[in-house]
Amino acid sequence: MIIANQISDQEIETLLEEILTYHGYDFTEYARASIKRRIMRIFSLEKFETFLQLRNKVINDRKFFKRFVEEITVNVTEMFRDPKFYKCLRSDIFPKLTAYPFIRIWLAGCSTGEEAYSIAILLKELNLLDKSLIYATDLNPLVLEKAESGIFSLSQMKTYSKNYIESGGIKDFSSYYTATYDLVKFNRDLRKKMIFSTHNLVSDRSFNEFQLILCRNVFIYFDRDLQHKVLQLFDASLEKNCFLALGTKETIDFSPIARKYERVQNQKIWRKLQ
């Protein structure tokens, strides 16, 4: 029996190529250290005796493969995460979009949907929700199912409410959901302005023109070439004078598209100039 830290880089490469061949999921340009660490974790949790057993399970057992994808795609998120970012959206970004007859927003890598509902709440409070549509996409269909349900743990609401208030929220946060036992369900009027769909940033193309694209805390798992490729996809999908938002540790500064953008305040938000 081998242990996880004995898995070679070449074995990881082989597995990623097989996943692309048999399932069409392309993880070959993900940051190697990060994805290897997550594969090793699965190997240990499932108590495989050889790496070949893991490979065979991934290729031949579709139920296991779905769980595998859920494990290696990072789904750490919360509502109004980084309140200063949402305050900037509220005070500086959305007011600049009010002149558009319709506002299309792409939330790429939406995970379980907390960010989508946060954006919808902001839009509602600015009286923009009725003329907006949020396209929330992710590679992982399992997290999209949870996002689409609008159901979250009641235990998270204290943190989310604190974030909401710090972001400039103007209402009682609990007015946006109904609590039942240990779960909450967010209001239908928020959900009806969202479209949840699978989208692979590695291989899928642009599907609309947007006034705001958010892809926060996803690039940290991509290698530099893939970051450039995805930024070009976003550039092709973003209307002139509109906005691109990334995570706090992410940037467009070293990308070929950087010359076409200007930074907004001290947030990781850029406006497309050309």
Side-chain angles (χ1 to χ4, degrees):
M1 180 177 178
I2 65 173
I3 56 177
N5 61 12
Q6 294 175 331
I7 298 170
S8 70
D9 291 344
Q10 183 54 53
E11 286 175 308
I12 298 295
E13 296 293 330
T14 300
L15 175 62
L16 297 181
E17 292 292 346
E18 289 177 337
I19 290 171
L20 178 58
T21 300
Y22 290 98
H23 295 293
Y25 283 70
D26 191 352
F27 297 109
T28 58
E29 295 179 86
Y30 278 53
R32 280 298 179 272
S34 176
I35 200 164
K36 182 176 181 180
R37 184 169 59 250
R38 281 173 272 161
I39 291 173
M40 288 166 59
R41 179 176 179 274
I42 297 168
F43 183 89
S44 297
L45 287 174
E46 296 292 328
K47 296 181 171 56
F48 288 108
E49 293 189 359
T50 68
F51 194 68
L52 180 60
Q53 289 180 344
L54 171 62
R55 284 173 51 195
N56 287 337
K57 192 84 168 173
V58 166
I59 300 308
N60 298 309
D61 186 335
R62 294 200 65 85
K63 186 175 180 180
F64 176 79
F65 177 68
K66 286 184 178 180
R67 193 162 78 252
F68 176 87
V69 170
E70 187 172 19
E71 287 287 341
I72 67 170
T73 53
V74 179
N75 300 301
V76 179
T77 185
E78 63 183 41
M79 295 192 73
F80 294 94
R81 184 181 186 181
D82 186 8
K84 289 182 180 178
F85 169 79
Y86 283 94
K87 184 172 282 189
C88 182
L89 289 183
R90 181 190 293 273
S91 63
D92 297 323
I93 304 304
F94 284 137
K96 290 180 172 65
L97 300 180
T98 56
Y100 288 88
F102 197 76
I103 302 170
R104 291 181 297 275
I105 299 167
W106 181 10
L107 179 52
C110 71
S111 187
T112 45
E114 285 86 342
E115 192 167 18
Y117 288 91
S118 302
I119 295 296
I121 289 170
L122 276 187
L123 291 167
K124 185 174 180 63
E125 293 187 356
L126 294 169
N127 295 314
L128 294 174
L129 186 60
D130 286 343
K131 70 168 188 175
S132 300
L133 194 58
I134 301 167
Y135 295 81
T137 67
D138 201 278
L139 172 69
N140 186 343
L142 294 179
V143 298
L144 287 171
E145 288 178 14
K146 180 177 180 180
E148 196 162 12
S149 73
I151 298 174
F152 302 97
S153 170
L154 178 62
S155 64
Q156 298 170 304
M157 292 306 114
K158 184 176 180 180
T159 297
Y160 294 176
S161 179
K162 179 175 179 291
N163 290 350
Y164 165 74
I165 292 168
E166 291 179 0
S167 75
I170 60 176
K171 297 182 69 176
D172 181 346
F173 186 63
S174 64
S175 67
Y176 290 111
Y177 61 80
T178 302
T180 306
Y181 300 108
D182 58 346
L183 297 174
V184 305
K185 185 176 179 66
F186 275 81
N187 298 346
R188 184 176 176 81
D189 65 332
L190 301 175
R191 169 65 188 86
K192 70 181 181 181
K193 303 304 293 186
M194 305 176 193
I195 296 176
F196 290 98
S197 179
T198 55
H199 184 277
N200 189 335
L201 289 172
V202 179
S203 58
D204 292 342
R205 298 181 179 181
S206 174
F207 56 92
N208 214 322
E209 187 173 52
F210 299 91
Q211 285 72 52
L212 173 64
I213 298 175
L214 304 99
C215 185
R216 305 180 69 227
N217 306 305
V218 175
F219 276 30
I220 54 176
Y221 303 106
F222 293 170
D223 67 21
R224 182 61 61 85
D225 288 342
L226 182 54
Q227 290 178 17
H228 292 340
K229 179 179 178 181
V230 175
L231 283 171
Q232 288 170 338
L233 168 66
F234 290 158
D235 181 56
S237 307
L238 191 66
E239 190 171 334
K240 184 180 176 182
N241 293 318
C242 293
F243 300 92
L244 170 66
L246 302 180
T248 56
K249 297 180 181 178
E250 300 164 336
T251 184
I252 71 169
D253 289 351
F254 304 103
S255 167
I257 74 165
R259 60 181 176 78
K260 301 167 63 176
Y261 289 76
E262 68 174 5
R263 183 91 173 265
V264 176
Q265 292 190 359
N266 61 346
Q267 295 297 320
K268 292 300 183 75
I269 303 174
W270 290 264
R271 183 168 72 94
K272 184 176 180 179
L273 301 175
Q274 54 180 284

